[in-house]
Amino acid sequence: MRDTPAHATQPRAALHGHYPHAQSVAEFRQRLVAVQDRIAAACARAGRNPADVRLLPVSKTIDEAHIRMAHAAGCRALGENKPQELATKAEAMADLTDLRWCAIGHLQTNKARLVARFAHEFHALDRLRVAEALERRLQAEGRGLDVYVQVNTSGEASKWGLPPEEAAPFLRALGAYPALRVRGLMTLAMFSADADRVRACFAGLRTLRDRLRQDAPAGMTLDDLSMGMSGDYEIAIEEGATVVRVGQAIFGSRALPDSHYWPGMGG
Ligand SMILES: *Cc1c(COP(=O)(O)O)cnc(C)c1O
């Protein structure tokens, strides 16, 4: 690994590949260690400290029994794409009081209540109407929420997120919503086997963040970059990710095609 130049890292063949399913606490531990090892190796290639990269396991479609195994294996935060699924699971596993549920997918205003009540983080903020709905619900709940502004770095119409040029005014407008603690930016890279194109999406988010920092509202440090999933998290880390959202490499391949989560994607 040491001799592999950073630019040679390839997306895992398996953008839609076959990841085995973990079926026991011991297997989940192994899976988590394997991913953390790859995170550490990617950090070493990039001259970064592994402590600066947080693994957020993504448990969408995974049933309660397996989530409880993952928790027993050490998962203390889980990402869910759909607000209703997040809420149902958070309620069913309310006894796991040290588990933080994180909403990572597109949100409609009529589901803001669920995120405000059950989520600790929201990674896909891209509309002021959603910010407004969340703020109102969070005030009612007496809670705050860590948020990441989603940017479309691939130019693909199938991806949610703000066009990069709209990010600066959007961040300024977020100052009006004190319950939303803006941590940084989030993106989904292009789904491609071409590592250079995937890398360009991640590098684009980092460059945008660096630029936005220069005149960000007071107190908004934009420290975090939420980017990278099972197929491309190592590339994301080489480009500065501080949070990687990894589902299948921990829980196993999903039966549902990604088009279920990203409208317009091929299955
Ligand atoms: C499902 C999902 C992920 C994780 O994808 P995997 O291929 O399971 O690693 C990351 N981010 C978002 C927004 C997701 O919906």
Side-chain angles (χ1 to χ4, degrees):
M1 271 306 187
R2 218 179 57 228
D3 297 324
T4 308
H7 66 262
T9 305
Q10 296 297 313
R12 234 135 265 277
L15 291 174
H16 306 277
H18 294 283
Y19 300 93
H21 285 251
Q23 300 292 359
S24 67
V25 176
E27 278 179 12
F28 272 109
R29 272 202 202 101
Q30 287 165 9
R31 217 51 71 69
L32 289 165
V33 167
V35 173
Q36 291 288 6
D37 282 352
R38 289 187 173 279
I39 289 173
C43 284
R45 289 194 293 279
R48 299 185 58 200
N49 181 350
D52 294 337
V53 179
R54 177 164 62 101
L55 170 61
L56 175 58
V58 175
S59 55
K60 65 193 191 205
T61 76
I62 305 301
D63 66 21
E64 180 173 341
H66 288 85
I67 290 177
R68 286 184 180 275
M69 286 179 207
H71 175 263
C75 284
R76 291 297 175 265
L78 289 173
E80 286 284 343
N81 184 291
K82 300 208 180 266
Q84 186 59 62
E85 185 175 345
L86 182 151
T88 303
K89 288 175 173 175
E91 284 201 294
M93 290 175 259
D95 58 302
L96 306 179
T97 51
D98 59 355
L99 182 56
R100 289 164 58 92
W101 294 93
C102 303
I104 62 173
H106 183 69
L107 180 62
Q108 290 172 319
T109 51
N110 63 354
K111 299 279 170 59
R113 178 179 54 87
L114 299 174
V115 170
R117 177 162 302 168
F118 295 107
H120 293 263
E121 300 173 15
F122 175 46
H123 289 238
L125 184 60
D126 63 359
R127 285 179 304 148
L128 288 178
R129 276 172 48 80
V130 170
E132 208 175 287
L134 282 170
E135 176 74 20
R136 192 155 27 86
R137 298 294 184 170
L138 286 162
Q139 295 288 354
E141 299 277 343
R143 303 186 71 218
L145 184 67
D146 289 343
V147 300
Y148 297 73
V149 171
Q150 184 171 357
V151 176
N152 182 338
T153 52
S154 66
E156 293 170 296
S158 62
K159 299 285 198 296
W160 304 108
L162 292 166
E165 62 275 16
E166 290 176 21
F170 187 80
L171 288 173
R172 280 195 294 276
L174 287 183
Y177 308 107
L180 304 179
R181 299 180 294 248
V182 181
R183 303 302 311 263
L185 306 180
M186 176 273 211
T187 201
L188 293 166
M190 182 175 286
F191 288 92
S192 169
D194 180 344
D196 291 338
R197 300 179 76 187
V198 171
R199 185 179 296 281
C201 296
F202 296 139
L205 194 71
R206 186 196 58 222
T207 307
L208 175 66
R209 189 276 308 273
D210 293 348
R211 199 145 33 86
L212 292 170
R213 257 183 176 166
Q214 288 165 16
D215 53 5
M220 200 184 275
T221 54
L222 302 177
D223 286 334
D224 286 295
L225 293 173
S226 170
M227 57 188 197
M229 10 204 295
S230 292
D232 56 21
Y233 67 93
E234 292 155 279
I235 298 175
I237 290 168
E238 290 168 2
E239 296 301 331
T242 66
V243 183
V244 291
R245 310 175 309 269
V246 177
Q248 298 179 87
I250 295 169
F251 288 96
S253 299
R254 274 186 304 276
L256 283 170
D258 283 332
S259 56
H260 184 69
Y261 297 94
W262 297 286
M265 287 271 310

